[in-house]
Amino acid sequence: MIEVRNLTKRYGNKLALSDVSFTVEDGEVLGLLGPNGAGKSTTMNIMTGNLSATGGSVSIGGHDILEEPIAAKKQLGYLPELPPLYPDMTVEEYLRFVYGLKRCRLPRAKHLEEVCEAAQIGDVRRRVIKNLSKGYRQRIGVAQALIGAPEVLILDEPTVGLDPRQMMEIRTLIRGLGKKHTVILSSHILSEVQAVCDRVVVINRGKLIADDTPEHLSRRLGGNHLRLVVEASEEEVRQSLNAIPGVKKVEIIPWSEEGCVCAEVESLEAADLRRAVSGCAAAKGWPLLELGAAEMSLENIFLQLTGEGEEK
Amino acid sequence: MTAIYKRELMSYFITPIGYVYLAVFWLLAGYQFTVLLLSGSGDLASEFSFLFTVVLLLTPILTMRLMSEDRRQKTDQILFSAPVTLTGIVAGKYFAAVTVYLMGIAITLVHAVVMAGYAPVNWAVLGGNILGISLMGMAGIAICMFVSAQTENQIIAAIGGLAAMLLVLALNGLAAMVPFPWLRTLLASISFFNRYHNLTLGLFRVADLVFFASFAGIFFFLTSRVLDHRRWSGR
């Protein structure tokens, strides 16, 4: 179990983290979501002993990271924002170095084989790291974190720089890891966090603004937003949709196709409008081209979450 | 610590820096040895006093990337999040540099063996010389490592290291000019020159050896403090 209590970090006058607390249960996959500069990396750097906090404490499996650093770090695998690779070494040399550094006791050849397989870098083990692509380097970074089979994995934006297929693979890998390890990963992509995590902690400007399951979070955020594209006139669409009971607001969004209208419908809380909206389109005889949940941008999410925070 | 030591040592020899350092060191030592042979002298002391300058010039090159490179590449993050103490990290790096340094010094043994074929060699004095230059170098490596920990730029680390070496190695020059006796004593005692010079003459004083060893110890400790401080200030 990981406990983060009242974490505060100041850089001179700038407050980078303010009173952040959360816990992660064993075997849980926790997502740390926030825009760039929100304090995700700072939090992770403090959790791994790379940075010290101005106030608050971090304990990993009951060991405080400052009081008992060796015991705490033994349980850690960390992938920093920039994979900590030595470019002049080969992948094999590097992994052996990490194996020694972590004082790993598992049988070496077999363990490194497994790690390489999990991170899918088996085919480049003899190559020099500086000649490898960014995707490979990122995966070597993941492999490095896996060495020693640590109980806790802390991954700072593990899918950055990967192509979509590799992203999917890494997500699947993390999902699988979540069965045996406790995983904390940071991301600024909502859908990624939703796909992988059991729980999400949202940080903005150094403050924790939400701590919830992805389902609850998306219900709170995007669940009451529908987006549809129909072939009809703008005014007609606006009027008809507004007439549906449970509709709070209808917004018309510019759309490139001729004669088509895109509308975003915001419902009152707890109302599921999908049937009513498609029914309305059918009744009016509009060809319905698209209907789905509106994707919210991260900016909107933070605006909404922080807005909610202020109301309370 | 062993893993860090091995990696640092390896990195000297997967980059050209270790080879270049040893080649230049051996070349210069060999040059002085040749001069010595041509002059018909059988006394290796002059080679050791020449090596004083070589150590002064080459040690900053040996240590320039020791701490700075890790910081620039952010590879220090893997060290800080691994189950090793700060002392362990510094020790691994320090002893890797010391190992390469000792490999350089080892050439004097080869020279002594060659010399033994032509003239009697005083092995006790030679042993003292080697011990002296080893300890002086270890003190120098500790200062230069400390300088390297201040920056993430290798060139700045090298220039700063050179300046620091020049200062501690040649403080006796300033000491001779200072009008205050207490300051003169202080500066002269910090200066490496007199102490090392005594050793090359075969004057073997425990105080000198203890001086070099404690000098190395102090800067070793300060380096680990710099790393710790950076965690507090947020690099």
Side-chain angles (χ1 to χ4, degrees):
Chain A
M1 189 165 105
I2 303 165
E3 279 184 282
V4 174
R5 272 178 251 109
N6 310 100
L7 221 51
T8 301
K9 178 72 188 175
R10 264 176 206 288
Y11 294 107
N13 280 330
K14 193 177 166 281
L15 195 61
L17 275 186
S18 148
D19 208 20
V20 170
S21 304
F22 57 90
T23 59
V24 193
E25 300 297 332
D26 288 340
E28 197 172 26
V29 181
L30 178 89
L32 218 55
L33 185 67
N36 294 326
K40 302 184 300 267
S41 293
T42 303
T43 310
M44 289 185 152
N45 273 330
I46 294 173
M47 294 178 75
T48 52
N50 271 286
L51 201 63
S52 47
T54 314
S57 65
V58 174
S59 112
I60 297 185
H63 301 286
D64 190 285
I65 192 80
L66 285 181
E67 308 277 327
E68 304 167 82
I70 303 287
K73 286 173 186 175
K74 267 199 173 146
Q75 309 176 44
L76 272 183
Y78 178 38
L79 169 67
E81 214 172 354
L82 211 73
L85 307 177
Y86 290 98
D88 289 323
M89 293 172 110
T90 66
V91 175
E92 181 72 22
E93 284 164 350
Y94 175 71
L95 294 178
R96 286 186 184 180
F97 157 65
V98 178
Y99 178 92
L101 185 67
K102 291 189 176 179
R103 295 180 201 182
C104 186
R105 294 262 176 269
L106 301 160
R108 187 167 82 174
K110 187 165 166 282
H111 182 54
L112 292 187
E113 186 69 39
E114 285 166 5
V115 165
C116 287
E117 199 177 313
Q120 297 179 332
I121 51 169
D123 50 335
V124 294
R125 283 175 76 170
R126 287 160 176 277
R127 300 269 302 272
V128 177
I129 292 174
K130 68 179 164 197
N131 298 332
L132 295 174
S133 68
K134 201 170 176 209
Y136 268 119
R137 289 181 197 202
Q138 189 69 24
R139 281 185 281 164
I140 298 166
V142 174
Q144 161 274 121
L146 291 175
I147 289 178
E151 281 145 58
V152 178
L153 287 172
I154 298 187
L155 312 172
D156 199 348
E157 309 212 338
T159 58
V160 159
L162 301 181
D163 64 38
R165 192 179 60 88
Q166 292 166 337
M167 267 188 185
M168 290 294 291
E169 284 165 3
I170 289 283
R171 283 177 198 166
T172 317
L173 171 66
I174 293 170
R175 259 269 149 239
L177 292 172
K179 291 185 182 109
K180 278 188 275 178
H181 308 253
T182 307
V183 183
I184 302 179
L185 69 96
S186 75
S187 178
H188 57 258
I189 308 166
L190 180 66
S191 61
E192 173 170 294
V193 169
Q194 281 174 328
V196 176
C197 302
D198 302 319
R199 203 152 58 79
V200 184
V201 165
V202 185
I203 298 183
N204 193 29
R205 291 188 196 168
K207 286 201 176 94
L208 192 149
I209 53 177
D211 179 350
D212 216 332
T213 61
E215 293 77 37
H216 281 158
L217 202 63
S218 54
R219 202 169 304 153
R220 254 168 84 186
L221 295 170
N224 50 359
H225 281 257
L226 278 181
R227 184 165 156 281
L228 71 156
V229 178
V230 289
E231 219 174 305
S233 78
E234 198 179 306
E235 202 40 49
E236 196 183 0
V237 170
R238 191 192 298 275
Q239 277 177 5
S240 319
L241 290 178
N242 267 321
I244 298 171
V247 170
K248 193 170 155 193
K249 200 172 111 195
V250 175
E251 202 179 333
I252 303 293
I253 292 164
W255 194 251
S256 55
E257 277 175 273
E258 188 95 9
C260 294
V261 176
C262 176
E264 251 188 53
V265 183
E266 193 184 341
S267 63
L268 296 168
E269 215 148 330
D272 187 352
L273 292 178
R274 286 173 302 181
R275 288 173 193 81
V277 168
S278 64
C280 168
K284 298 275 178 186
W286 304 332
L288 184 58
L289 304 178
E290 271 181 36
L291 176 64
E295 278 277 328
M296 284 185 81
S297 70
L298 205 56
E299 289 72 34
N300 287 343
I301 293 169
F302 290 114
L303 225 70
Q304 190 163 344
L305 282 172
T306 42
E308 273 180 26
E310 277 156 23
E311 277 164 27
K312 281 170 195 168
Chain B
M1 182 201 137
T2 332
I4 295 173
Y5 170 77
K6 277 197 233 157
R7 201 212 72 78
E8 284 299 328
L9 196 56
M10 189 169 136
S11 87
Y12 275 117
F13 296 104
I14 50 178
T15 58
I17 203 165
Y19 295 106
V20 170
Y21 173 83
L22 287 179
V24 172
F25 195 96
W26 288 344
L27 178 78
L28 291 172
Y31 161 79
Q32 185 62 23
F33 185 60
T34 312
V35 169
L36 200 105
L37 289 182
L38 290 177
S39 73
S41 155
D43 187 7
L44 279 169
S46 69
E47 183 177 337
F48 278 96
S49 62
F50 175 75
L51 284 180
F52 182 78
T53 318
V54 177
V55 171
L56 160 79
L57 293 173
L58 290 188
T59 305
I61 309 296
L62 187 66
T63 58
M64 64 182 186
R65 41 156 292 289
L66 208 54
M67 293 291 164
S68 56
E69 186 68 0
D70 255 350
R71 190 169 159 198
R72 191 174 69 83
Q73 304 260 21
K74 305 230 177 205
T75 37
D76 50 357
Q77 293 189 325
I78 194 173
L79 305 180
F80 290 143
S81 53
V84 238
T85 57
L86 279 177
T87 316
I89 295 173
V90 179
K93 286 169 170 288
Y94 177 71
F95 286 113
V98 168
T99 305
V100 178
Y101 175 75
L102 293 179
M103 286 162 79
I105 296 300
I107 197 74
T108 58
L109 270 176
V110 177
H111 291 167
V113 170
V114 172
M115 181 69 91
Y118 303 97
V121 171
N122 187 334
W123 294 101
V125 171
L126 180 79
N129 281 338
I130 290 182
L131 184 65
I133 198 169
S134 304
L135 283 171
M136 183 193 73
M138 286 169 79
I141 290 170
I143 304 169
C144 292
M145 174 173 75
F146 173 73
V147 174
S148 177
Q150 311 294 327
T151 171
E152 44 186 88
N153 185 316
Q154 291 189 17
I155 305 300
I156 294 177
I159 295 174
L162 187 62
M165 286 294 275
L166 262 173
L167 204 66
V168 290
L169 264 60
L171 266 182
N172 60 314
L174 175 66
M177 305 298 163
V178 175
F180 312 106
W182 62 270
L183 191 59
R184 188 180 308 160
T185 325
L186 180 75
L187 291 178
S189 67
I190 296 175
S191 167
F192 283 19
F193 184 80
N194 290 341
R195 295 176 190 276
Y196 182 70
H197 192 62
N198 286 344
L199 281 165
T200 60
L201 296 177
L203 280 174
F204 203 70
R205 290 194 308 166
V206 176
D208 291 340
L209 301 182
V210 170
F211 169 81
F212 287 135
S214 30
F215 209 95
I218 288 170
F219 278 95
F220 181 95
F221 173 74
L222 287 178
T223 307
S224 72
R225 287 302 90 197
V226 170
L227 296 189
D228 197 34
H229 173 75
R230 217 153 62 218
R231 290 200 298 182
W232 288 99
S233 60
R235 47 193 76 227

